[in-house]
Amino acid sequence: MLFTLILKDSKGFTRAFKKGGYAADGNVSAHFFPNRTPYNRLGISVSKKIGGAVERNRAKRIIRAAYRECESELPIGYDIVFSCRAGINGKKSGDIKGFIRKRLIKEINKKSRDKK
Protein backbone atom coordinates (compact mmCIF):
# COMPACT_ATOMS: atom_id res chain seq x y z
CA MET A 1 0.00 0.00 0.00
CA LEU A 2 1.41 3.28 -1.12
CA PHE A 3 0.35 5.91 1.46
CA THR A 4 -0.76 3.56 4.23
CA LEU A 5 0.65 1.91 7.32
CA ILE A 6 -1.02 -0.71 9.49
CA LEU A 7 -2.84 0.50 12.59
CA LYS A 8 -1.92 -1.89 15.40
CA ASP A 9 -2.25 -0.03 18.70
CA SER A 10 -5.52 -0.14 20.60
CA LYS A 11 -5.38 3.63 21.24
CA GLY A 12 -5.79 4.29 17.52
CA PHE A 13 -8.73 1.89 17.26
CA THR A 14 -10.42 3.37 20.34
CA ARG A 15 -9.90 6.95 19.17
CA ALA A 16 -11.40 6.17 15.76
CA PHE A 17 -14.39 4.36 17.29
CA LYS A 18 -15.20 6.93 19.99
CA LYS A 19 -14.20 10.30 18.53
CA GLY A 20 -14.08 9.77 14.80
CA GLY A 21 -16.51 9.95 11.93
CA TYR A 22 -18.55 7.03 10.72
CA ALA A 23 -19.81 5.54 7.46
CA ALA A 24 -21.72 2.26 7.17
CA ASP A 25 -23.06 -0.21 4.69
CA GLY A 26 -24.80 -3.58 5.04
CA ASN A 27 -21.49 -5.41 4.75
CA VAL A 28 -18.97 -3.20 6.50
CA SER A 29 -18.69 -0.03 8.57
CA ALA A 30 -15.75 2.38 8.71
CA HIS A 31 -14.63 4.77 11.43
CA PHE A 32 -12.09 7.47 10.65
CA PHE A 33 -10.15 10.02 12.66
CA PRO A 34 -7.48 12.56 11.53
CA ASN A 35 -4.01 11.46 12.65
CA ARG A 36 -1.97 14.56 11.63
CA THR A 37 0.59 12.53 9.67
CA PRO A 38 1.48 12.44 5.96
CA TYR A 39 0.04 8.93 5.61
CA ASN A 40 -3.07 6.92 6.44
CA ARG A 41 -3.21 4.06 8.90
CA LEU A 42 -5.52 1.13 8.17
CA GLY A 43 -7.07 -1.12 10.82
CA ILE A 44 -9.50 -4.00 10.32
CA SER A 45 -11.69 -5.44 13.05
CA VAL A 46 -13.44 -8.76 12.46
CA SER A 47 -15.56 -10.41 15.13
CA LYS A 48 -15.88 -14.14 15.70
CA LYS A 49 -19.55 -13.71 14.81
CA ILE A 50 -18.45 -13.57 11.16
CA GLY A 51 -17.38 -17.21 11.27
CA GLY A 52 -14.28 -19.32 11.65
CA ALA A 53 -10.72 -18.26 10.93
CA VAL A 54 -11.10 -18.93 7.21
CA GLU A 55 -14.09 -16.58 6.88
CA ARG A 56 -12.49 -13.89 9.05
CA ASN A 57 -9.25 -13.94 7.06
CA ARG A 58 -11.17 -13.84 3.78
CA ALA A 59 -13.08 -10.78 4.99
CA LYS A 60 -9.79 -9.05 5.84
CA ARG A 61 -8.32 -9.92 2.42
CA ILE A 62 -11.40 -8.54 0.65
CA ILE A 63 -11.21 -5.26 2.58
CA ARG A 64 -7.46 -4.88 2.01
CA ALA A 65 -7.85 -5.51 -1.73
CA ALA A 66 -10.66 -2.96 -2.04
CA TYR A 67 -8.74 -0.41 0.02
CA ARG A 68 -5.60 -0.91 -2.08
CA GLU A 69 -7.51 -0.13 -5.27
CA CYS A 70 -9.15 2.99 -3.81
CA GLU A 71 -6.12 4.22 -1.86
CA SER A 72 -5.14 6.96 -4.29
CA GLU A 73 -8.65 8.48 -4.08
CA LEU A 74 -8.71 8.68 -0.26
CA PRO A 75 -7.62 11.85 1.57
CA ILE A 76 -4.29 11.47 3.37
CA GLY A 77 -3.79 11.84 7.12
CA TYR A 78 -6.48 9.59 8.63
CA ASP A 79 -6.76 6.51 10.80
CA ILE A 80 -9.36 4.32 9.09
CA VAL A 81 -10.81 1.30 10.89
CA PHE A 82 -13.09 -1.11 9.05
CA SER A 83 -15.47 -3.33 11.02
CA CYS A 84 -17.06 -6.30 9.28
CA ARG A 85 -20.73 -7.07 9.60
CA ALA A 86 -22.45 -10.41 9.16
CA GLY A 87 -23.29 -9.64 5.51
CA ILE A 88 -19.61 -9.72 4.46
CA ASN A 89 -19.58 -13.48 3.81
CA GLY A 90 -19.89 -14.18 0.09
CA LYS A 91 -19.15 -10.60 -0.99
CA LYS A 92 -16.48 -9.53 -3.45
CA SER A 93 -13.96 -6.71 -3.19
CA GLY A 94 -15.97 -4.77 -5.80
CA ASP A 95 -18.82 -4.41 -3.31
CA ILE A 96 -16.45 -2.93 -0.73
CA LYS A 97 -14.86 -0.67 -3.37
CA GLY A 98 -18.31 0.73 -4.09
CA PHE A 99 -18.80 1.49 -0.40
CA ILE A 100 -15.40 3.21 -0.14
CA ARG A 101 -15.98 5.34 -3.24
CA LYS A 102 -19.65 6.22 -2.67
CA ARG A 103 -19.85 6.60 1.09
CA LEU A 104 -16.51 6.67 2.90
CA ILE A 105 -14.69 9.23 0.76
CA LYS A 106 -17.72 11.53 0.80
CA GLU A 107 -18.03 11.29 4.61
CA ILE A 108 -14.32 12.00 5.15
CA ASN A 109 -14.45 15.03 2.85
CA LYS A 110 -17.66 16.24 4.52
CA LYS A 111 -16.10 16.01 8.01
CA SER A 112 -12.94 17.82 6.89
CA ARG A 113 -15.03 20.66 5.40
CA ASP A 114 -17.10 20.93 8.59
CA LYS A 115 -13.98 21.33 10.75
CA LYS A 116 -12.67 24.26 8.71
Side-chain angles (χ1 to χ4, degrees):
M1 289 185 252
L2 200 57
F3 307 109
T4 306
L5 298 177
I6 297 170
L7 180 61
K8 294 181 182 178
D9 60 334
S10 64
K11 286 181 185 179
F13 276 83
T14 305
R15 188 180 321 117
F17 282 128
K18 291 191 176 183
K19 296 181 180 178
Y22 176 77
D25 191 356
N27 307 320
V28 69
S29 64
H31 296 266
F32 53 90
F33 188 78
N35 62 13
R36 299 185 184 108
T37 59
Y39 50 83
N40 287 341
R41 294 190 298 179
L42 174 66
I44 302 173
S45 173
V46 183
S47 169
K48 285 189 176 183
K49 293 178 184 178
I50 301 300
V54 173
E55 289 86 5
R56 292 193 307 268
N57 287 329
R58 175 164 168 65
K60 289 186 231 178
R61 282 195 313 270
I62 289 169
I63 290 172
R64 272 191 231 108
Y67 180 87
R68 195 175 299 118
E69 290 187 30
C70 298
E71 183 179 17
S72 61
E73 301 168 28
L74 284 161
I76 294 177
Y78 284 89
D79 290 342
I80 302 171
V81 179
F82 287 94
S83 298
C84 295
R85 294 185 171 181
I88 193 82
N89 289 336
K91 298 296 179 184
K92 304 282 185 187
S93 64
D95 300 326
I96 308 302
K97 277 192 294 187
F99 162 72
I100 292 172
R101 287 187 174 134
K102 291 178 185 172
R103 292 238 176 111
L104 182 60
I105 292 174
K106 287 181 183 179
E107 283 295 321
I108 291 174
N109 290 333
K110 181 179 169 186
K111 284 282 186 182
S112 67
R113 280 193 308 265
D114 291 346
K115 296 225 177 198
K116 290 180 181 178

